[in-house]
Amino acid sequence: MSLTLDAAAFTVEPLSPVLGAAVSGLDLNQPLNDRTKRAIYDSFVRYHVLCFRDQHLDPEQQIAFTAQFGTLERHMARNRGPVNPLVNIVSNLGPHGKPSGKVGSTGWHSDKSFRPEPSLATILHAQIMPPEGGETCFANMIAAYDALPEAERAALYGVRIVHSWELSRARLGLQATPEEIADAPPLTHPLARTIPETGRKALFMGEHASHVEGRPMAEGRALLDRLTAHAVEERFVYRHKWRAGDMLMWDNRCLLHRANPNFDAARFPRVLHRTCLRGSTPA
Ligand code: OGA
Ligand code: MN
């Protein structure tokens, strides 16, 4: 099915039954008029992931596109791109520009959930992709919430989760630097948050979610592990197979996402440019 939003403008076609839509026919190097911008935002809220086809934005142009929807979020110091501190280079390249074998962001997470105002949206633009694999995977946290038995949903009411950059690094066997710890001290967010535009509830957790505020660590971890296993079941997941020119924009309020390291990362480069839009306090 193809929905034409504006006769001369663009089409929005679902990418899967669970989430995601492809947007074709737009040149995002041009400023958006108000009507198009609203149509894009409405589709973003509805489909959670938009894939703009056939885009070629340089970092400055990606910043300009992103800024039309709000305030850009800076990146952790170690992640800042050489081009612009607001553009983060997502890549598997080592210091000499050769594929390092390492792929980042392979655990399910929601971007910057350790911030007081976690990212509303992430915009990720493919630059160089491996011939096969290296998908970005998304899980729909509204659908996962809705699928819980009513008693379990009720039990989540008022539960707050501690999100911590330091603890999420530690669980990966990595040590956050003192600067990073000072920059991102632990804080709490509701486990079930409400998406303001629709009133729908979404599970809000992922890699930076550490434990439950006010409960023993092990009990909170067990709850998060169990909920995460449920929430990333196949029925809630869409895997995006990147095409040249794709630029994704996704809603971190109601998705978990991860990179799929299912390609030879010591042989093939995988490079993307990333901008993030600051969100609001989850409620
Ligand atoms: C990110 C991220 C996943 C990927 O940029 O925030 O998680 O597929 N990327 O590279
Ligand atoms: Mn991410």
Side-chain angles (χ1 to χ4, degrees):
M1 182 198 67
S2 154
L3 170 69
T4 305
L5 292 167
D6 188 299
F10 61 99
T11 58
V12 180
E13 276 183 84
L15 284 164
S16 84
V18 64
L19 64 96
V23 181
S24 308
L26 274 180
D27 175 5
L28 298 180
N29 279 320
Q30 304 302 318
L32 302 168
N33 64 38
D34 284 348
R35 186 160 166 229
T36 307
K37 195 162 82 177
R38 213 168 313 124
I40 289 176
Y41 191 79
D42 289 348
S43 297
F44 164 81
V45 170
R46 174 165 175 194
Y47 293 104
H48 317 309
V49 177
L50 295 181
C51 172
F52 300 101
R53 300 288 193 198
D54 310 310
Q55 302 302 320
H56 301 280
L57 281 71
D58 68 22
E60 300 297 332
Q61 291 165 330
Q62 185 170 336
I63 289 171
F65 167 76
T66 307
Q68 294 176 101
F69 293 94
T71 304
L72 277 93
E73 183 65 84
R74 69 202 168 83
H75 298 291
M76 296 296 280
R78 66 184 184 98
N79 265 344
R80 287 183 198 154
V83 192
N84 189 306
L86 296 172
V87 178
N88 171 204
I89 315 289
V90 173
S91 103
N92 65 332
L93 303 181
H96 303 295
K98 293 253 167 17
S100 67
K102 288 198 202 107
V103 183
S105 303
T106 58
W108 290 104
H109 65 283
S110 175
D111 287 333
K112 305 189 193 297
S113 73
F114 52 84
R115 294 274 182 223
E117 294 173 326
S119 299
L120 165 65
T122 300
I123 289 107
L124 198 57
H125 191 8
Q127 304 297 313
I128 309 171
M129 297 306 272
E132 260 185 279
E135 298 91 12
T136 302
C137 313
F138 297 94
N140 185 332
M141 294 298 106
I142 296 175
Y145 176 85
D146 287 345
L148 289 172
E150 196 179 339
E152 275 195 58
R153 291 200 304 261
L156 303 184
Y157 185 78
V159 174
R160 294 188 70 83
I161 299 300
V162 178
H163 291 249
S164 162
W165 173 259
E166 183 184 4
L167 294 175
S168 76
R169 292 272 102 186
R171 283 195 291 120
L172 293 172
L174 301 167
Q175 169 88 56
T177 66
E179 283 136 313
E180 286 174 348
I181 296 169
D183 182 44
L187 45 68
T188 69
H189 292 307
L191 177 50
R193 70 183 291 186
T194 304
I195 309 305
E197 294 89 354
T198 59
R200 306 290 295 275
K201 286 203 165 181
L203 294 170
F204 191 59
M205 45 193 193
E207 201 162 58
H208 311 301
S210 173
H211 55 281
V212 176
E213 184 183 44
R215 290 195 205 162
M217 187 86 176
E219 184 189 326
R221 272 260 38 97
L223 174 64
L224 285 169
D225 288 345
R226 197 170 51 73
L227 279 177
T228 304
H230 157 79
V232 302
E233 281 176 22
E234 280 299 307
R235 58 185 166 142
F236 305 126
V237 170
Y238 164 68
R239 285 182 190 79
H240 185 71
K241 290 190 200 304
W242 291 86
R243 294 189 199 164
D246 279 358
M247 188 165 86
L248 294 191
M249 175 177 181
W250 70 78
D251 190 340
N252 283 296
R253 302 173 302 177
C254 60
L255 298 171
L256 289 180
H257 66 275
R258 65 187 285 264
N260 199 342
N262 60 341
F263 66 101
D264 186 349
R267 176 160 173 222
F268 298 113
R270 180 181 188 271
V271 181
L272 309 100
H273 289 174
R274 173 182 188 249
T275 45
C276 290
L277 268 177
R278 183 173 305 168
S280 49
T281 308

